[in-house]
């Protein structure tokens, strides 16, 4: 049961809460009454506003429609006036632009092109709206005249500003082709920026509005002439420089000219000046008779100054080839800015024809000269082809890249020249090998002292030059499929369907086989030639000298390594041949040493008197030895062994043999009383005999 106090408190709380609820309810009733009153007032205001808007609309709409009609009429009048002004302006185009068109675009190209745009629009208007108007003929005449002026301006700009590239610039361009740091600075500027801008604007206008392509012919004719003259100027530079200093040079080095982008020595492309001079100087040392054996008719034709001129021509041609590639690349870059894309390849093809034909013709002339020289058996002339051919093949990738998109006839010119050179070179190599084999035996052409034959020296010196051009010579041989001739098995990995497709190993094998063939032919010919000598000893000395010269030359020039590719035992074989000839030579002394050998000598007892027959036999032995020694020394003193080491070796071996035999013979019979005049028979002491042999092969002794 709830206590009374708590019940009283609870009742008061409920009463207070009820009182608050009643007050809240009363407030809500008052608020609703006010809201209803405000709503009624708002509805009344809106109804009044709607009524007024309807009255305003009924008054304004007619005025708006009338105003709109007036505005439309005004716009029509303005458009009519504007069109009338536009049409009237076409009738004034001729008079407004005639003076500018007559004076030409020089110095104000943009203004001129703006006038041409006005004239063109006038022509289009009259053609569409009033084709019988005399104004049409007038603006047409101005348009054609303006187009001719633009064509003339194009020709004038190209003619006046297209300059020949100086040899200085070309040489620096070539020398900097491998220098990546300066390559960007080496770009040629054929036309100034302002001139190039004008030329491009004119060309684009002529293509787009002039419907004219004649300017492309003008462009390629002018640029073709400059390209051709630039290359010819470089060649002339070499000719003048060679005649003044003996060595072509770039004047950019001593003279710091403004048109020289780099200030560094000129690098020669691939070919090193002097290669041909070195070969011909060596070959001329042995050219008194020539390979065909005709006395006094050297096949090498050593003319004064020929070597320097030859170097200059080869050097100049190789530089001109490199110059063509660089200049053609530069021309194509210029052309792409001026000529429309679909005409670029054809225009470029025409542009490079004169310069390219000149290079190809000069290359063919070099080939022709080499062919004629080969007919005369002047095989040193083929050396001119080697550096050029090597450079052409190294440059061919750049050539192919430059000539992309040109006609097939243009692309095939360089491969045709390369093939021609390879064919000529291969023909020369084969003819040389055959000439070595078939060189005739002429008595008057044989060295009297048995020294090295000129055929040997010429052959070795020629082969030595091939070391500098191993891949080139290998390509020549491969191009003629000489592998079949030399019985070289062709590995599919080494060759392809193309005769000139080979790797370096296959090339080396071909060249090695060729050299072995030449050496084999030379050896056979030397054996044949040696038969001219009646004296077997001189024959042996001759073969010894030649074999020794061949071996030493192979070793010094590293040809021996190339020979060893296909002939592993070549070195040992030559040493065996040399030793064999030494033994043959030593047999020539048997007729001397036989007199003093122990066989058939009388046996006597000390103190026993010799019989007449025995004394006579001893006298004959001494006399035979003395006469034979004197005769051999007299004859063999005039013979020659150029190799000091071999000469000393042969002398020493012979001294040992003769001294031992003569010493023993002298020891046995010097004290024997076989004669009353011993000095008549015992003419030489052992030391004197050794000294006489020491003076063999010495014409100055």
């Amino acid at each position: 049961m709830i206590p009374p106090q708590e019940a009283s408190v609870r009742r008061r709380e409920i009463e207070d809460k009820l009182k608050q609820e009643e007050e809240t309810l009363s407030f809500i009733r008052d608020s609703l009454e006010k809201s209803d009153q405000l709503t009624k007032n708002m509805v009344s205001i809106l109804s009044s506003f709607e009524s007024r808007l309807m009255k305003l609309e009924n008054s304004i709409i007619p005025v708006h429609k009338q105003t709109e009609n007036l505005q439309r009429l005004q716009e029509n009048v303005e458009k009519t006036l504007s069109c009338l002004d536009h049409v009237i302006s076409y009738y004034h185009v001729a008079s407004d632009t005639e003076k500018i068109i007559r004076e030409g675009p020089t110095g104000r190209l943009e203004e001129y092109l703006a006038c041409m745009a006005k004239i063109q629009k006038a022509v289009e208007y009259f053609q569409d709206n009033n084709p019988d108007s005399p104004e049409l003929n007038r603006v047409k005449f101005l348009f054609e005249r303006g187009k001719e002026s633009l064509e003339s301006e194009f020709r004038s700009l190209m003619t006046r500003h297209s300059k020949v590239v100086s040899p200085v610039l070309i040489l620096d361009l070539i020398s900097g082709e491998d220098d990546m740091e300066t390559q960007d600075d080496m770009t040629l500027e054929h036309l100034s920026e302002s001139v190039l801008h004008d030329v491009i604007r004119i060309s684009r206008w002529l293509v787009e509005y002039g419907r004219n392509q004649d300017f492309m012919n003008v462009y390629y004719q002018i640029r073709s002439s400059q390209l051709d003259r630039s290359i010819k100027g470089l060649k002339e530079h070499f000719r003048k420089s060679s005649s003044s200093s003996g060595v072509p040079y770039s004047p950019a080095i001593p003279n710091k000219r403004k048109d020289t982008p780099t200030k560094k020595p000129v690098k020669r492309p691939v070919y090193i000046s002097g290669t041909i001079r070195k070969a011909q100087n060596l070959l001329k040392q042995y050219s008194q008779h020539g390979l065909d054996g005709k006395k006094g008719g050297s096949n090498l034709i050593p003319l004064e100054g020929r070597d320097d001129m030859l170097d200059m021509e080869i050097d100049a041609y190789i530089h001109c080839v490199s110059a063509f590639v660089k200049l053609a690349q530069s021309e194509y870059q210029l052309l792409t800015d001026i000529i429309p894309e679909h005409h670029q390849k054809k225009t470029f093809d025409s542009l490079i024809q004169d310069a390219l034909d000149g290079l190809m013709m000069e290359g063919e002339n070099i080939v022709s000269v080499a062919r004629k020289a080969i007919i005369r058996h002047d095989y040193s002339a083929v050396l001119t082809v080697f550096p050029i051919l090597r450079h052409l093949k190294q440059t061919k990738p750049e050539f192919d890249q430059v000539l992309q998109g040109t006609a097939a006839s243009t692309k095939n010119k360089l491969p045709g020249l390369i093939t021609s050179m390879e064919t000529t070179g291969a023909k020369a190599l084969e003819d040389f090998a055959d000439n070595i084999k078939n060189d005739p035996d002429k008595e008057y052409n044989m060295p009297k002292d048995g020294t090295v034959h000129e055929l040997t020296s010429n052959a070795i010196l020629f082969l030595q030059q091939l070391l500098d051009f191993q891949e080139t010579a290998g390509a020549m041989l491969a191009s003629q499929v000489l592998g079949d001739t030399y019985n070289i098995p062709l590995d599919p990995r080494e060759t392809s369907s193309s005769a000139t497709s080979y790797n370096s190993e296959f090339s080396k094998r071909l060249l090695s086989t060729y050299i072995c063939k030449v050496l084999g032919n030379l050896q056979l010919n030397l054996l044949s030639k040696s038969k001219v000598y009646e004296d077997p000893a001189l024959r042996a000395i001759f073969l010894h000298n030649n074999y020794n010269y061949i071996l030493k030359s192979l070793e010094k020039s590293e040809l021996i390594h190339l020979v060893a590719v296909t002939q592993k035992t070549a070195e040992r074989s030559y040493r065996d041949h040399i030793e064999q000839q030494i033994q043959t030579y030593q047999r020539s002394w048997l007729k001397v040493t036989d007199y003093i050998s122990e066989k058939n000598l009388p046996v006597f007892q000390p103190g026993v008197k010799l019989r007449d027959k025995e004394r006579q036999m001893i006298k004959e032995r001494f006399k035979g030895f003395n006469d034979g020694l004197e005769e051999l020394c007299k004859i063999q003193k005039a013979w020659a062994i150029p190799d000091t080491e071999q000469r000393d070796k042969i002398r020493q071996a012979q001294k040992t043999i003769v001294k031992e035999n003569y010493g023993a013979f002298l020891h046995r019979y010097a004290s024997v009383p076989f004669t009353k005049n011993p000095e008549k028979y015992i003419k030489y002491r052992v030391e004197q005999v050794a000294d006489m042999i020491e003076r063999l092969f010495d014409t100055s002794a």
Side-chain angles (χ1 to χ4, degrees):
M1 188 170 178
I2 301 173
Q5 290 181 348
E6 292 183 5
S8 176
V9 172
R10 180 75 177 269
R11 186 171 54 252
R12 283 196 300 270
E13 289 178 354
I14 292 172
E15 289 174 354
D16 291 340
K17 187 173 183 181
L18 180 61
K19 185 178 180 179
Q20 289 178 357
E21 294 293 337
E22 288 176 350
E23 289 176 354
T24 301
L25 181 62
S26 175
F27 175 76
I28 291 173
R29 286 194 186 100
D30 292 341
S31 296
L32 286 174
E33 290 176 357
K34 290 180 180 179
S35 177
D36 289 342
Q37 184 63 38
L38 290 173
T39 301
K40 290 178 182 179
N41 293 338
M42 180 59 70
V43 169
S44 175
I45 293 171
L46 290 175
S47 298
S48 175
F49 184 71
E50 180 180 8
S51 174
R52 292 181 182 181
L53 282 177
M54 289 180 64
K55 290 180 181 179
L56 180 61
E57 182 178 359
N58 292 334
S59 301
I60 293 300
I61 286 177
V63 176
H64 173 71
K65 289 182 178 180
Q66 185 177 5
T67 303
E68 186 178 24
N69 291 333
L70 289 175
Q71 288 177 341
R72 188 178 297 109
L73 290 174
Q74 184 179 1
E75 289 175 358
N76 290 336
V77 171
E78 290 177 353
K79 288 181 179 179
T80 301
L81 291 175
S82 176
C83 289
L84 185 60
D85 290 339
H86 181 67
V87 170
I88 293 174
S89 67
Y90 288 127
Y91 287 86
H92 295 288
V93 166
S95 58
D96 292 343
T97 60
E98 184 175 9
K99 180 180 179 182
I100 295 176
I101 298 301
R102 186 173 61 251
E103 292 176 353
T106 304
R108 50 178 177 182
L109 179 61
E110 293 301 327
E111 181 184 3
Y112 195 88
L113 292 177
C115 290
M116 290 298 293
K118 292 180 181 179
I119 295 172
Q120 184 178 8
K121 289 180 180 179
V123 171
E124 293 172 353
Y125 171 79
F126 288 121
Q127 285 178 336
D128 294 339
N129 299 283
N130 193 3
D132 298 328
S133 171
E135 288 296 326
L136 175 61
N137 294 330
R138 189 178 179 188
V139 291
K140 271 188 174 182
F141 172 77
L142 283 178
F143 184 82
E144 291 300 323
R145 183 172 181 178
K147 185 170 71 172
E148 291 175 359
S149 295
L150 285 171
E151 293 171 358
S152 177
E153 179 68 5
F154 182 88
R155 179 187 294 273
S156 176
L157 287 172
M158 292 301 303
T159 302
R160 284 187 288 112
H161 297 281
S162 292
K163 304 298 182 182
V164 174
V165 183
S166 70
V168 175
L169 226 55
I170 296 175
L171 288 173
D172 286 335
L173 184 66
I174 296 172
S175 68
E177 62 185 353
D178 296 326
D179 192 342
M180 300 304 294
E181 294 181 357
T182 60
Q183 199 167 13
D184 294 338
D185 299 333
M186 296 299 293
T187 303
L188 293 176
E189 186 182 77
H190 295 287
L191 301 174
S192 66
E193 186 175 349
S194 59
V195 172
L196 180 61
H197 174 267
D198 288 350
V199 169
I200 292 173
R201 291 283 285 121
I202 294 174
S203 69
R204 289 179 179 174
W205 189 93
L206 290 173
V207 171
E208 186 174 356
Y209 303 108
R211 306 293 189 271
N212 182 287
Q213 297 181 3
D214 292 341
F215 78 95
M216 300 180 196
N217 296 331
V218 172
Y219 177 86
Y220 92 71
Q221 289 169 1
I222 294 174
R223 294 307 307 171
S224 175
S225 174
Q226 301 304 324
L227 175 61
D228 191 41
R229 289 169 60 193
S230 297
I231 294 177
K232 288 179 178 177
L234 177 62
K235 185 177 180 181
E236 184 63 24
H237 166 74
F238 271 86
R239 182 177 291 109
K240 291 180 179 179
S241 299
S242 180
S243 61
S244 62
S245 64
V247 179
Y249 67 99
S250 169
I253 300 168
N255 302 325
K256 297 183 179 180
R257 298 167 48 140
K258 294 181 180 179
D259 58 351
T260 305
T262 59
K263 308 293 189 299
K264 59 182 182 176
V266 174
K267 299 178 184 175
R268 298 179 178 233
V270 181
Y271 170 60
I272 301 175
S273 180
T275 299
I276 306 305
R277 183 187 299 117
K278 176 184 68 175
Q280 291 208 337
N281 284 343
L282 290 171
L283 288 168
K284 284 194 297 183
Q285 297 174 9
Y286 302 93
S287 302
Q288 298 303 317
H289 304 288
L291 291 180
D292 59 359
K294 296 179 180 178
K295 187 175 182 179
S298 171
N299 293 319
L300 301 179
I301 314 176
L303 301 177
E304 184 69 26
R306 173 186 173 188
D307 296 337
D308 290 338
M309 184 60 66
L310 185 63
D311 270 348
M312 184 279 295
E313 290 178 357
I314 296 173
D315 216 11
Y317 185 74
I318 288 176
H319 275 83
C320 286
V321 170
S322 295
F324 173 81
V325 173
K326 292 299 179 183
L327 292 177
Q329 290 172 341
S330 180
E331 287 292 343
Y332 189 75
Q333 292 175 356
L334 177 65
L335 176 143
T336 54
D337 292 331
I338 300 174
I339 304 300
E341 183 176 359
H342 54 287
H343 292 286
Q344 290 174 1
K345 295 296 185 181
K346 182 179 179 181
T347 303
F348 180 70
D349 196 341
S350 301
L351 188 155
I352 63 174
Q353 284 302 315
D354 288 347
L356 182 59
D357 286 344
L359 282 177
M360 296 302 106
M361 184 178 298
E362 189 174 351
E364 289 294 346
N365 289 339
I366 292 172
V367 173
S368 178
V369 170
R371 286 174 181 159
K372 293 177 181 178
I374 293 166
I375 294 174
R376 301 192 308 269
H377 301 302
D378 179 10
Y379 297 106
S380 65
V382 76
L383 296 175
T384 63
V385 176
F386 279 89
I388 295 175
L389 176 59
R390 180 172 64 181
H391 185 68
L392 289 179
K393 296 186 77 171
Q394 291 177 340
T395 312
K396 186 177 182 297
E398 289 186 89
F399 249 98
D400 293 341
Q401 184 178 6
V402 170
L403 300 184
Q404 280 182 355
T406 57
S409 58
T410 302
K411 294 178 181 177
N412 292 334
K413 287 181 179 179
L414 180 63
L417 178 59
I418 289 176
T419 300
S420 180
M421 287 189 170
E422 285 186 337
T423 303
T424 300
K427 172 67 174 172
L429 293 175
E430 278 302 286
D431 283 0
F432 179 79
D434 292 341
N435 197 65
I436 293 296
K437 180 179 180 180
N438 301 319
D439 185 69
D441 302 328
K442 299 291 185 179
E443 292 185 13
Y444 55 75
N445 198 36
M446 295 293 291
K448 303 301 182 182
D449 56 1
T451 190
V452 178
H453 196 280
E454 63 182 341
L455 178 69
T456 304
S457 58
N458 282 341
I460 294 299
L461 289 168
F462 183 84
L463 293 179
Q464 286 175 346
Q465 305 314 307
L466 300 184
L467 286 173
D468 293 332
F469 307 99
Q470 293 185 38
E471 291 190 6
T472 304
M476 289 178 177
L477 299 172
S479 68
Q480 302 302 306
V481 200
L482 294 181
D484 294 339
T485 303
Y486 300 143
N487 298 318
I488 295 181
L490 302 182
D491 190 322
R493 294 170 298 180
E494 296 175 338
T495 60
S496 68
S497 57
S498 172
T500 57
S501 179
Y502 58 93
N503 63 20
S504 58
E505 186 62 29
F506 179 63
S507 169
K508 184 178 291 187
R509 289 172 58 197
L510 270 179
L511 187 57
S512 174
T513 305
Y514 170 78
I515 292 174
C516 291
K517 177 182 178 180
V518 172
L519 293 176
N521 290 348
L522 176 60
Q523 186 172 343
L524 291 174
N525 200 310
L526 290 173
L527 285 171
S528 176
K529 289 182 183 300
S530 67
K531 296 176 182 178
V532 171
Y533 298 113
E534 296 181 0
D535 190 334
L538 181 55
R539 188 182 309 154
I541 290 297
F542 171 76
L543 291 176
H544 165 274
N545 284 333
N546 282 270
Y547 292 155
N548 184 65
Y549 177 84
I550 293 171
L551 178 59
K552 289 298 179 64
S553 298
L554 292 179
E555 291 174 338
K556 288 181 180 178
S557 63
E558 297 185 359
L559 270 172
I560 194 67
H561 300 306
L562 196 53
V563 170
V565 172
T566 53
Q567 292 291 338
K568 304 294 185 183
T569 62
E571 184 176 0
R572 186 176 69 242
S573 177
Y574 273 110
R575 295 194 186 280
D576 291 343
H577 287 318
I578 292 170
E579 188 60 34
Q580 181 181 355
Q581 298 308 319
I582 292 176
Q583 293 174 4
T584 301
Y585 162 75
Q586 288 176 343
R587 285 197 289 271
S588 68
W589 281 81
L590 290 177
K591 62 181 180 180
V592 176
T593 56
D594 277 350
Y595 283 105
I596 56 177
S597 63
E598 293 187 2
K599 64 180 180 178
N600 300 325
L601 286 176
V603 179
F604 59 90
Q605 296 296 327
V608 178
K609 184 178 181 181
L610 295 177
R611 291 175 293 177
D612 292 342
K613 183 180 180 181
E614 292 173 338
R615 286 196 298 270
Q616 185 61 33
M617 182 181 294
I618 295 173
K619 290 178 182 179
E620 290 176 356
R621 298 288 174 148
F622 270 107
K623 186 177 185 304
F625 172 79
N626 293 334
D627 292 345
L629 176 65
E630 292 169 356
E631 181 184 359
L632 280 185
C633 288
K634 180 180 179 181
I635 294 173
Q636 295 185 8
K637 185 176 69 172
W639 297 353
I641 299 180
D643 189 317
T644 305
E645 181 181 348
Q646 287 291 314
R647 184 169 64 243
D648 293 341
K649 175 184 175 182
I650 293 174
R651 284 173 175 172
Q652 186 60 41
Q654 204 57 51
K655 281 194 297 183
T656 301
I657 295 172
V658 176
K659 282 173 64 178
E660 287 180 357
N661 284 272
Y662 184 63
F665 180 78
L666 197 60
H667 177 72
R668 174 176 293 187
Y669 295 104
S671 59
V672 174
F674 64 91
T675 178
K676 294 180 179 180
N677 299 309
E679 66 277 358
K680 179 180 178 181
Y681 297 98
I682 307 176
K683 296 173 64 174
Y684 304 104
R685 300 189 307 275
V686 175
E687 292 75 14
Q688 288 178 311
V689 172
D691 186 60
M692 292 173 68
I693 296 176
E694 185 65 30
R695 291 197 294 269
L696 295 179
F697 317 117
D698 187 359
T699 55
S700 63

